[in-house]
């Protein structure tokens, strides 16, 4: 069996939760959604959580709720999945990019400040690979008038001395993804957390066509009125039941990912050609959605390693090409290579090794031996 870089970890409890929901009265918009939202909010130590049909839908809604629109810029990390930037473009705002720091692979107050302009309306720091980005420092750099939406797609279960990622101590909102390779899964799904009841209401309306949550006119008690243009971005009850069940094991999943990362560190510490993923600082917990190594010899050596590992059934991946280098970004906004040199240097050498809770010790040893042998 090939060893993937990531995969879901499901057990009989998850299957039972889904089956019970299928046998119940609600397939969608029933009680399971609210239960999952409440449990997720508790896990993040935050008052409100709003479930979405994907992390991408959550980012779209969060950028909308933050007020991004034509003439604005939405500033995110160059090193991320395109969805972190696309959410601005959906609303007519221009996605712009901050470079990463060489030692954390995350944006910082310094790199965000360097890319900030008068038009920046929303900043989307990404907790890349599950390592919390310095949101307090970014808040200090952007001031109180720019909204911060954390892209926490990789970071459910990670924390900092300020609390869990998603607590929104320094940000307006945080967005999570429940795609199968993510810390917990609902197949497709996402969640947005916030401390602000007005933002919660805007998120909920955007998720469901822009409709008010309840009837507003006494004469027409059946009528939920549309006040903004929304979408159908709802998470189903079936998915929410799966998410609620998975959430019970989030802590164990993240612990296991940390144990896998520790083993990689011990076993690859003396491989000089590889730079290993930055660790979390004291008092923080890394989510290790990914365990990335960077080949110091650059693109050709990384390509050889990628190919040879695949020949041995080890399916590593590359996360990510700097977003502005996608053809659509170059064609639409005129971005050229060289915009964010650290993200490009990183991209030349990066490779994500298998890291997921059900990776067996034996399979991890197979990966370690292969990497040591090939590098
Ligand atoms: C950093 C980041 N943001 C956003 C997303 C989008 O999440 P989803 O796949 O749930 O739409 C992903 C998914 O891979 C991601 O990695």
């Amino acid at each position: 069996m090939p060893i993937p870089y990531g995969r879901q970890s499901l057990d009989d409890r998850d299957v039972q939760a889904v089956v019970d929901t299928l046998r119940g009265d609600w397939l969608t918009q029933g009680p399971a959604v609210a239960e999952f939202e409440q449990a997720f909010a508790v896990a993040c130590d935050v008052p409100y959580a709003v479930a979405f049909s994907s992390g991408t839908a959550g980012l779209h809604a969060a950028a909308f709720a933050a007020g991004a629109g034509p003439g604005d810029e939405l500033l995110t990390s160059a090193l991320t999945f395109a969805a972190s930037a696309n959410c601005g473009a959906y609303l007519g705002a221009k996605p712009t990019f901050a470079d990463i720091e060489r030692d954390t692979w995350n944006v910082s107050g310094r790199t965000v400040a360097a890319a900030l302009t008068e038009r920046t309306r929303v900043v989307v720091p990404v907790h890349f690979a599950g390592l919390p980005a310095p949101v307090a420092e970014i808040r200090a750099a952007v001031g109180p008038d720019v909204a911060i939406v954390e892209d926490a797609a990789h970071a459910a279960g990670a924390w900092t001395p300020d609390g869990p990622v998603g607590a929104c101590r320094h940000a307006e909102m945080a967005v999570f993804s429940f795609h199968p390779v993510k810390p917990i899964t609902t197949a497709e799904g996402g969640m947005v957390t916030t401390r602000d009841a007005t933002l919660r209401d805007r998120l909920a309306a955007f998720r469901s066509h822009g409709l008010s949550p309840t009837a507003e006119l006494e004469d027409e008690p059946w009528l939920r009125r549309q006040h903004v243009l929304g979408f159908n971005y709802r998470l189903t009850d079936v998915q929410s039941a799966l998410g609620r069940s998975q959430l019970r094991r989030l802590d164990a999943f993240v612990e296991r990912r940390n144990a896998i990362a520790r083993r990689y560190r011990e076993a690859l510490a003396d491989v000089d050609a590889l730079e290993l993923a930055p660790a979390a600082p004291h008092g923080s917990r890394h989510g290790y959605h990914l365990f990335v190594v960077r080949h110091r010899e650059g693109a050709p050596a990384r390509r050889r390693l990628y190919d040879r590992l695949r020949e041995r059934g080890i399916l590593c991946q590359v996360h990510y090409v700097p977003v502005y280098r996608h053809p659509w970004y170059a064609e639409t906004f005129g971005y050229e290579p060289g915009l964010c040199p650290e993200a490009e240097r990183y991209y030349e050498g990066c490779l994500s090794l298998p890291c997921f809770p059900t990776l067996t010790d034996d399979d991890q040893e197979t990966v370690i031996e292969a990497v040591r042998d090939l590098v």
Side-chain angles (χ1 to χ4, degrees):
M1 276 285 281
I3 307 174
Y5 83 90
R7 63 163 283 139
Q8 67 274 23
S9 304
L10 297 181
D11 71 9
D12 288 346
R13 288 166 288 185
D14 300 317
V15 174
Q16 195 57 48
V18 169
V19 169
D20 289 347
T21 310
L22 287 172
R23 294 211 166 105
D25 292 332
W26 300 90
L27 291 185
T28 191
Q29 290 183 276
V33 180
E35 274 169 40
F36 182 35
E37 288 174 337
Q38 271 160 23
F40 200 86
V42 168
C44 290
D45 194 19
V46 71
Y48 308 114
V50 183
F52 283 88
S53 53
S54 68
T56 302
L59 281 164
H60 188 185
F64 166 83
D72 295 332
E73 292 176 356
L74 176 140
L75 174 60
T76 189
S77 177
L79 171 56
T80 185
F81 186 59
S84 320
N86 288 346
C87 62
Y90 297 151
L91 295 158
K94 179 183 179 188
T96 58
F97 299 95
D99 208 349
I100 56 170
E101 293 287 352
R102 187 171 284 200
D103 60 345
T104 63
W105 301 344
N106 270 332
V107 296
S108 64
R110 185 184 74 85
T111 67
V112 166
L116 202 68
T117 76
E118 281 176 358
R119 290 170 181 262
T120 309
R121 179 84 178 240
V122 184
V123 175
V124 183
V126 179
H127 302 299
F128 176 71
L131 179 65
V135 186
E137 182 187 301
I138 292 166
R139 168 60 73 202
V142 304
D145 297 333
V146 173
I148 299 180
V149 174
E150 298 172 49
D151 184 333
H154 297 184
W159 15 265
T160 73
D162 284 340
V165 167
C168 297
R169 299 266 169 222
H170 309 285
E172 275 70 20
M173 290 167 274
V175 182
F176 295 84
S177 163
F178 306 134
H179 178 275
V181 295
K182 296 291 172 11
I184 59 169
T185 189
T186 58
E188 297 283 358
M191 191 75 81
V192 182
T193 57
T194 183
R195 301 194 156 265
D196 182 323
T198 306
L199 290 175
R200 187 270 317 265
D201 291 347
R202 279 172 74 76
L203 292 165
F206 194 78
R207 166 177 75 178
S208 204
H209 309 282
L211 294 168
S212 60
T214 51
E216 296 167 333
L217 306 176
E218 261 180 38
D219 291 351
E220 296 163 280
W222 52 84
L223 184 62
R224 293 173 54 206
R225 299 197 298 166
Q226 184 189 334
H227 294 281
V228 294
L229 184 61
F231 290 76
N232 179 350
Y233 277 163
R234 294 189 296 261
L235 192 70
T236 65
D237 261 41
V238 180
Q239 292 169 298
S240 298
L242 175 57
R244 179 71 193 89
S245 173
Q246 286 261 296
L247 184 61
R248 294 194 175 92
R249 304 207 297 294
L250 173 61
D251 197 52
F253 287 159
V254 177
E255 277 304 307
R256 174 70 188 138
R257 287 176 181 273
N258 273 269
I260 290 168
R262 274 194 299 277
R263 177 73 194 118
Y264 277 136
R265 284 188 196 291
E266 280 162 25
L268 301 175
D270 62 343
V271 182
D272 292 338
L274 296 183
E275 179 189 352
L276 305 183
H282 186 67
S284 295
R285 178 159 83 167
H286 203 309
Y288 286 113
H289 160 56
L290 302 172
F291 188 87
V292 180
V293 296
R294 191 182 69 84
H295 207 305
R296 297 181 202 275
E297 288 156 27
R302 186 269 306 275
R303 177 65 203 268
R304 274 196 303 280
L305 180 58
Y306 171 90
D307 286 341
R308 306 255 155 80
L309 287 171
R310 285 186 99 79
E311 283 161 19
R312 296 189 188 191
I314 299 167
L315 309 181
C316 293
Q317 253 305 353
V318 170
H319 301 95
Y320 299 97
V321 66
V323 176
Y324 58 84
R325 287 184 45 183
H326 284 294
W328 187 79
Y329 276 85
E331 287 156 19
T332 309
F333 302 106
Y335 284 124
E336 290 181 3
L339 180 68
C340 295
E342 284 301 333
E344 298 204 4
R345 174 178 178 273
Y346 161 91
Y347 173 63
E348 293 295 299
C350 66
L351 196 64
S352 304
L353 302 184
C355 183
F356 52 93
T358 52
L359 179 70
T360 64
D361 292 344
D362 283 353
D363 279 352
Q364 188 176 15
E365 289 313 311
T366 303
V367 176
I368 289 167
E369 275 165 34
V371 171
R372 293 187 63 88
D373 182 32
L374 292 169
V375 174

